[in-house]
Each structure stands twice: as structure tokens, then as C-alpha cells.
């Protein structure tokens, strides 16, 4: 392949390569090891290989994709679209040929190994005080001698039978009210929604007679990488189904600032990203309703929590102002909208949408939801709450004061930008241990409960194979390398001679650690490279620096306990997180997991109107710290590059782990690790 050949970047995997013009997308995907399904052998019959090309400026990928980067539609695609239909913008990977530089997204339904969105609903007792309730009434029949409208007589019945003084009616409901009344023979069930306890209730749905089919709401955590939804019974608070999908905006940029840049550099780019995420939410709504065996017209309320960039793109607001100081939000207040307002057409038009308030330009409604769930302002001891994702939300507080910031950790914790990295899916390494003596690894993969050195492991994983390493796996792998003496505090992997294991293999001027070699069976070679370690160092340094800024503001050097939230918190051990230096030093028993705290906060807001009103007041009392303009952020960031840290002591970690004292030079030539200063030619003073 020539450097003049078109460059193709696949998302969400991030894999890229150059291919001669005329290469089918499916062929390029297979050669790069991209997870793109196909059953029919590229004949355009099965439709499994659907892809979505994106055009415009992609600074993150270093790509300018022009219209015409893929071949025109051919007869096979046209025939398939006519018979079965293709979503707007979709192509068949087996038919579309590469003509120029392009970014190509592989949607979840086209992936063989679909991601496991590990944001399950946390068990939580929530006091029920829903904003939407059902009321059964018997309505007077119309009377020519007392001319009143059907809606007015419904209002009269609600006042007489339920002591509800006044109501309004959503227009989409009003248009169908008369046939419902007559079908129910003047007996009707209405769903009333209140945006606040003192607000006038609104009729947002109606059924003939006594409705016993239930009433449901969605709590949605709209993240940069994943969209997680919990379908909740609004009568009992029970989560009847949880589901999630990849955020399709990944193809425009894996991190938030890349998406802001895309909007800046591509006219209409913000609208393109808005359409993509709304379409994904519609798809997720249908899928979760199908899983729960209900119809979507029973989902009458949705609560969203999201970071500020996702907040603006969901609302259809250009996020450009969030990419530059002073990081001004279009609005930071809680919002009440309808499904029709946001074109969420999988929901009833009158379904109510509530978006929690944002805390600051870089601290969004997801952080507000974490505060609602974990209540740091009610803690007697000083608690640090870390919700790790592509963008980390960090809260520090107690009964006296609560601080908040966000830190741009990037996608490395999700398995992106890692050489053997992948999203969490069956076959992905999610946990690893390295024997300090033999330097040999053993690991677990998603979909199998056994370790790789246990009987039956290889039989149980034969169907999925060992496909790569996900976020939790790479975090544990780097920490294990440090504990096993294979990597020094600066993050350098030693050579085979320095470490005593042939698993440390040369890779250019550095070394990599070989976890698993499946090439003999047609599988991948899974390693941890120097580049992987650097990506994790950058991510964990940003996280630790954000926490240190909050501690500086609080004028403390230690915290009493740490709460890990999100999918990360549920799948990483406290010891590995601390060895890596992701979190400040505390006794390991003081590090706990809160599960998907943002999702839990969304569920609380969905089920309890009092809590919803309360978080709006709480957000105003939180002190915001803007990491982007804090002068000490860079200093904290640089010191946190070391593993676990260059200057901060970790005495509590030292009680349970003794980290080997090792040092490896960059050349890895087997020397003792001391760098040799080379003379410059012609300069006798050096």
C-alpha cells in the first residue's frame, strides 16, 4: 500500500489503514481486524455489513473526508433499499468502494461482537413521588341543554372525584380525546403530569375505561461513549429492563472537544450530531420496550442526565461556546420539554422530557445526578466521588461544602486508543494477574467466569475467542506490570534481559508485554505496548490532577474515603486503581463502588418529584472548579504521570503492596537503567 492510497478510519474501534482506490469497505475492515459482520460473502444479500460514512474535517483523526470518498450507490444497494430499506446515510460495506480518505462508523447492529454496555441499574430503594400519575374518572355525558366541551367535563370530574382543581391538556392528547371517551362509555383513565408540586397538572395520555397496562418512564444516562437506559415502572419504581448502545457520535470524535471541533470546522456538523444521537435514542427506546414486552406509548416520561456537550447536542444547540473560555452554557437550568420538541418519535408526542440542571460549562447534569445519588453534602467525613468515563466528573465534599469539576480523561479507559483495545464485549480481556515470580499472566474475559489457567476456560471461550482487551483489562494490566517489576515508575517496560521474561518483546526502540498470542489459530496477538501505557498515564494523570485541584480548594492533602462510580467503578479493584495512581491514597477498605451513580440519580429524579426539585437547589450551592484555567492543573498533571505518583506519598497503599524498585532506560539494552549522556559533535562542553 502506498502513502498516496486513501486513508480509512473505522469507528468506534479507531483502527485505520491505507487501501488502494476501489477496495470494498468490507475488505478493508477484514484486513484491519475491524468488527464488521457479513454472512452472505459480500453479495449484498444479508445486509449485516451496513456502515455509515462521515464527511468533513476530522482533526482528531487527521482526516478530511470529502463527498465522493466512497463509490456511488450501485444496483445491489438500490435493490436492497427498495426491498428492505436502508437507514439514511447507510451503505453496504460489501458494495461501497473506497475512493478517498474517509471516516466510517460501524453501527452496533453490524458488529459481530456487540458491546456490553455495563451500566446496569444499581439496587436502590427510592421513595415514590412520581411526576406522572394515573387517575380513573367517570365523566358526565354531553347535554344539549348544558353545552360544555368534553375536556371541560373531564376537568369537572377530576375536581369532583380527585379534588384536582385545575388541569390543562397536551394538544396531541386533545386531538384524540373524543373517541377515547366514547369507546370507554364516558369512563376514562388519564395520565396527569406535574413539572413541580405547585404546578398545574397536564393531561399527557388517556385510555378508555380503567387502564391496567401500567405506566413507565425512562432514566437515560447519555454519555460520550455509551447511552444507557433504565425502563422504570412509575407505580412501583421497579426497573423492568435496562439496555444500552454505543453513542453514534463517536464517529465525529471520541472525546468531547473533538466533537466541538467537528461542529466548528464543518457547517451543519452540530445538526448532524444531534440527528445521530436522537436516532440512537429512538432505537434504544424501541429495543428496551420490546425487551420489556410493552408498547412505547406506555412510556410517558424520560429523564436525561448528560455532560454539557451532550446536553447541547441533544437539545440541538451548537456546542461551540463550550470549546472556549468562559465555557458558557446556553442554559444551566433544569428543562421540561416534550418528545415532540426533541423529535424523539419513538415516544408519544406528549411524553414529558426532564433534563437535570448543569453545574458549570464543563460539569454537567450527569455530575448533578451523581450528587443526587451519592449526596456528598450530607457526608460527615470528606468523600471524593469519581465518575470515570471519556470525561470524568469529580465531586469532593462533606456537610460543610461540596466542590465539583470535570477532567478530560479521554477514551483510553474505555479501551480506545489502545493497540489491542476494544469496547467491552464477549471475548475481551477484562481482568488480568501477572505472577511476580514467573512473570506469566492469567486473565478473564467477558462472557466466561473462569480464569485462563483454570480447567474448561479454553472450551468455554472457543465460540468467542480472545478478541482484545477492554478498559478494565488495560487498567489492571498496567498496574500488574508495575507490581510485577516489569515496568518502572516512569511507565517504561523493561527488556527481556532486564525483566527475565521473554514476554517482554522489542517493539521499535521500546518494549511491549505479550499477554496472549492467538495467531496460530487465526486470532489476534494481544500486547500492552509503550503507547498503551502512555495513553493510560495521560488519562489517569488528568483524573488525579482534577481530584488534587479540588483537594487544594478544600485545603486538604488527604480524603477520608473514595467512591468510584460508573462502569469503571464496578469493574476495577481499588488496589489496581491506587497502584496506577488514579485516585488519592486512602485505606483500601475506604474505596467503594457506587455502580452507575449517574443512572441512579436519573432514576431518583424520574421517580421522585421532590428530589427533582431538590437537586436544582443543591446544584446552585456546589462550588465549581474549572480545570481548564486552573494554573496548578499542569503541575499536578505532570507529577501524576509517574506510577503511582512522583511526589505524593501513598502510605496506605504501601501497607498492602510493595512496589519493586526498578528503572529501565528507553533503549532497553540490558543496562542498569541509567541514562548515558552522549556528547554532541563539535561541542566539548557536553
Amino acid at each position: 500500500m502506498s502513502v498516496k492510497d486513501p486513508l480509512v478510519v473505522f469507528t468506534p474501534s479507531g483502527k485505520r489503514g491505507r487501501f488502494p482506490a476501489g477496495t470494498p469497505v468490507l475488505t478493508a475492515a477484514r484486513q484491519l481486524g475491524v468488527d464488521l459482520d457479513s454472512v452472505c460473502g459480500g453479495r449484498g444479500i444479508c445486509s449485516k455489513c451496513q456502515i455509515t460514512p462521515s464527511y468533513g474535517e476530522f482533526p482528531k483523526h487527521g482526516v478530511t473526508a470529502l463527498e465522493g470518498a466512497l463509490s456511488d450507490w450501485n444496483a445491489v444497494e438500490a435493490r436492497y433499499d427498495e426491498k428492505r430499506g436502508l437507514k439514511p446515510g447507510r451503505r453496504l460495506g460489501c458494495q461501497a468502494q473506497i475512493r478517498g480518505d474517509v471516516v466510517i462508523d460501524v453501527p452496533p447492529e453490524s458488529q459481530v461482537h456487540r458491546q456490553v454496555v455495563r451500566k446496569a441499574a444499581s439496587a436502590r430503594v427510592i421513595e415514590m413521588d412520581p411526576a406522572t400519575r394515573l387517575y380513573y374518572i367517570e365523566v358526565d355525558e354531553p347535554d344539549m341543554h348544558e353545552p360544555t366541551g368534553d375536556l371541560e367535563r373531564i376537568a369537572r370530574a377530576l375536581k369532583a372525584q380527585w379534588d384536582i382543581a385545575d388541569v390543562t391538556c397536551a394538544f396531541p392528547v386533545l386531538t384524540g380525546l373524543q373517541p377515547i371517551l366514547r369507546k370507554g362509555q364516558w369512563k376514562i383513565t388519564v395520565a396527569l403530569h406535574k413539572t413541580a408540586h405547585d404546578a398545574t397538572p397536564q393531561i399527557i395520555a388517556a385510555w378508555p375505561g380503567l387502564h391496567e397496562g401500567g405506566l413507565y418512564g425512562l432514566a437515560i444516562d447519555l454519555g460520550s461513549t455509551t447511552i444507557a437506559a433504565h425502563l422504570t415502572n412509575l407505580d412501583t419504581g421497579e426497573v423492568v429492563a435496562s439496555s444500552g448502545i454505543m453513542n453514534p457520535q463517536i464517529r465525529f470524535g471520541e472525546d468531547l472537544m473533538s466533537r466541538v471541533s467537528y461542529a466548528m470546522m464543518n457547517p451543519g456538523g452540530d445538526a448532524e450530531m444531534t440527528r445521530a444521537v436522537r436516532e440512537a435514542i429512538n432505537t434504544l427506546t424501541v429495543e428496551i420496550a420490546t425487551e420489556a414486552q410493552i408498547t412505547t406509548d406506555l412510556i410517558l416520561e424520560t429523564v436525561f442526565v448528560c455532560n454539557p456537550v451532550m446536553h447541547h447536542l441533544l437539545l440541538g444547540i451548537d456546542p461551540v461556546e463550550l470549546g472556549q473560555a468562559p465555557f458558557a452554557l446556553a442554559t444551566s437550568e433544569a428543562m421540561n420539554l416534550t418528545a415532540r420538541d426533541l423529535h424523539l418519535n419513538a415516544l408519544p408526542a406528549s411524553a414529558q422530557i426532564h433534563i437535570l440542571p448543569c453545574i458549570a460549562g464543563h460539569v454537567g447534569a450527569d455530575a448533578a445526578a451523581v450528587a443526587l445519588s451519592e449526596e456528598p453534602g450530607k457526608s460527615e467525613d470528606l468523600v471524593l466521588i469519581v465518575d470515570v468515563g471519556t470525561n470524568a466528573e469529580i465531586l469532593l465534599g462533606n456537610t460543610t461544602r461540596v466542590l465539583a469539576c470535570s477532567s478530560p480523561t479521554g477514551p483510553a479507559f474505555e479501551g480506545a486508543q489502545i493497540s489491542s483495545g476494544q469496547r467491552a464485549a464477549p471475548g475481551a480481556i477484562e481482568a488480568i494477574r501477572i505472577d511476580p515470580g514467573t512473570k506469566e499472566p492469567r486473565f478473564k474475559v467477558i462472557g466466561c467466569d473462569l480464569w485462563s489457567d483454570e480447567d474448561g476456560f479454553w472450551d468455554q471461550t472457543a465460540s468467542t475467542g480472545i478478541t482484545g482487551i477492554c478498559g478494565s483489562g488495560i487498567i489492571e494490566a498496567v498496574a500488574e506490570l508495575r507490581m510485577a517489576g516489569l515496568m518502572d515508575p516512569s511507565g517504561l517496560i523493561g527488556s527481556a534481559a532486564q525483566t527475565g521474561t521473554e514476554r517482554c518483546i522489542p517493539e521499535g526502540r521500546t518494549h511491549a508485554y505479550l499477554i496472549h498470542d492467538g495467531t496460530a489459530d487465526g486470532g489476534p496477538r494481544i500486547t500492552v505496548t509503550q503507547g498503551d501505557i502512555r495513553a493510560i498515564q495521560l488519562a489517569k494523570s488528568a483524573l488525579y490532577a482534577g481530584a488534587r485541584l479540588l483537594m487544594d480548594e478544600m485545603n486538604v492533602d488527604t480524603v477520608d474515603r473514595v467512591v468510584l462510580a460508573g462502569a469503571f467503578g464496578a469493574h476495577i479493584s481499588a488496589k489496581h486503581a491506587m497502584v496506577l495512581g488514579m485516585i488519592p491514597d486512602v485505606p483500601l477498605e475506604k474505596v467503594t463502588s457506587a455502580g452507575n451513580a449517574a443512572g441512579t440519580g436519573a432514576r431518583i429524579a424520574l421517580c421522585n418529584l421532590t428530589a427533582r426539585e431538590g437537586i436544582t437547589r443543591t446544584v446552585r450551592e456546589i462550588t465549581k472548579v474549572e480545570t481548564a484555567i486552573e494554573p496548578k492543573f499542569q503541575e499536578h498533571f505532570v507529577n501524576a504521570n509517574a506510577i503511582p505518583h512522583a511526589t505524593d506519598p501513598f502510605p496506605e497503599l504501601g501497607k498492602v503492596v510493595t512496589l519493586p524498585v526498578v528503572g529501565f532506560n528507553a533503549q532497553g539494552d540490558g543496562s542498569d537503567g541509567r541514562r548515558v549522556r552522549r556528547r554532541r559533535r563539535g561541542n566539548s562542553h557536553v
Side-chain angles (χ1 to χ4, degrees), residues 442-443 448-461:
R442 62 191 187 103
F443 52 83
C448 179
D449 293 330
L450 300 174
W451 286 88
S452 58
D453 59 349
E454 292 182 298
D455 291 340
F457 172 84
W458 298 102
D459 290 336
Q460 287 194 23
T461 57

Side-chain angles (χ1 to χ4, degrees), residues 124-430:
R124 182 71 168 263
V125 176
I126 300 172
E127 181 182 347
M128 293 304 295
D129 177 24
T132 304
R133 297 175 182 268
L134 295 177
Y135 297 88
Y136 171 78
I137 51 175
E138 297 182 0
V139 182
D140 293 336
E141 295 185 34
D143 186 339
M144 289 180 61
H145 301 291
E146 292 184 30
T148 56
D150 287 347
L151 177 58
E152 287 68 35
R153 281 179 284 104
I154 288 174
R156 195 164 65 196
L158 283 167
K159 184 174 183 179
Q161 297 167 38
W162 289 98
D163 197 27
I164 296 172
D166 193 19
V167 295
T168 62
C169 185
F171 183 70
V173 179
L174 179 62
T175 59
L177 206 54
Q178 289 191 309
I180 290 173
L181 263 174
R182 283 148 185 81
K183 184 178 180 181
Q185 297 179 338
W186 313 106
K187 299 176 180 63
I188 185 173
T189 303
V190 294
L192 298 188
H193 175 83
K194 293 198 295 185
T195 57
H197 281 106
D198 57 357
T200 300
Q202 182 182 49
I203 300 172
I204 61 170
W207 297 266
L210 176 63
H211 172 70
E212 296 180 291
L215 186 64
Y216 299 88
L218 282 173
I220 296 183
D221 179 5
L222 173 54
S224 311
T225 303
T226 56
I227 308 172
H230 306 298
L231 182 65
T232 305
N233 185 317
L234 291 182
D235 182 41
T236 64
E238 176 193 5
V239 175
V240 296
S242 292
S243 188
I245 57 174
M246 294 288 294
N247 187 332
Q249 292 175 341
I250 285 176
R251 68 178 184 266
F252 305 104
E254 290 178 323
D255 57 73
L256 297 176
M257 287 303 104
S258 294
R259 294 180 205 177
V260 173
S261 296
Y262 184 83
M264 288 178 174
M265 301 179 70
N266 299 279
D270 57 317
E272 193 177 358
M273 288 186 280
T274 294
R275 283 193 299 272
V277 76
R278 288 177 177 176
E279 181 181 317
I281 293 165
N282 282 325
T283 299
L284 181 57
T285 299
V286 173
E287 288 180 354
I288 201 168
T290 301
E291 181 184 341
Q293 299 182 328
I294 67 166
T295 55
T296 56
D297 61 352
L298 296 177
I299 305 174
L300 292 182
E301 196 173 355
T302 299
V303 169
F304 281 99
V305 299
C306 43
N307 62 56
V309 173
M310 292 298 95
H311 174 275
H312 278 37
L313 290 174
L314 172 65
L315 293 171
I317 299 171
D318 191 335
V320 62
E321 292 297 332
L322 298 175
Q324 56 199 8
F327 315 111
L329 289 153
T331 178
S332 59
E333 293 295 313
M335 297 192 70
N336 294 296
L337 305 163
T338 68
R340 174 178 282 183
D341 294 332
L342 297 183
H343 302 285
L344 298 179
N345 50 35
L347 294 166
S350 57
Q352 300 296 296
I353 307 295
H354 181 79
I355 303 175
L356 264 64
C358 290
I359 297 176
H362 281 163
V363 189
D366 46 1
V370 173
L372 177 56
S373 171
E374 298 306 303
E375 300 181 311
K378 295 182 180 180
S379 175
E380 294 295 332
D381 54 5
L382 187 60
V383 57
L384 179 75
I385 304 168
V386 182
D387 190 355
V388 180
T390 308
N391 203 58
E393 285 74 41
I394 309 171
L395 298 168
L396 176 67
N398 53 23
T399 53
T400 62
R401 192 181 182 202
V402 177
L403 312 176
C405 75
S406 72
S407 204
T409 50
F413 289 149
E414 304 280 353
Q417 298 180 346
I418 302 299
S419 60
S420 298
Q422 66 167 88
R423 307 294 178 184
I429 294 174
E430 63 173 339

Side-chain angles (χ1 to χ4, degrees), residues 431-518:
I432 183 171
R433 301 290 182 269
I434 299 175
D435 188 291
T438 65
K439 315 299 183 186
E440 286 296 299
R442 62 191 187 103
F443 52 83
K444 292 180 74 173
V445 301
I446 296 174
C448 179
D449 293 330
L450 300 174
W451 286 88
S452 58
D453 59 349
E454 292 182 298
D455 291 340
F457 172 84
W458 298 102
D459 290 336
Q460 287 194 23
T461 57
S463 60
T464 62
I466 313 302
T467 55
I469 188 165
C470 68
S472 61
I474 190 65
I475 290 167
E476 290 201 1
V478 175
E480 286 286 327
L481 287 172
R482 180 73 183 90
M483 288 190 285
L486 299 170
M487 181 184 74
D488 68 17
S490 72
L492 283 174
I493 297 176
S495 65
Q498 290 170 318
T499 61
T501 175
E502 295 301 318
R503 286 190 174 272
C504 290
I505 54 178
E507 188 170 272
R509 299 183 64 186
T510 61
H511 292 85
Y513 178 79
L514 177 64
I515 297 175
H516 170 71
D517 189 349

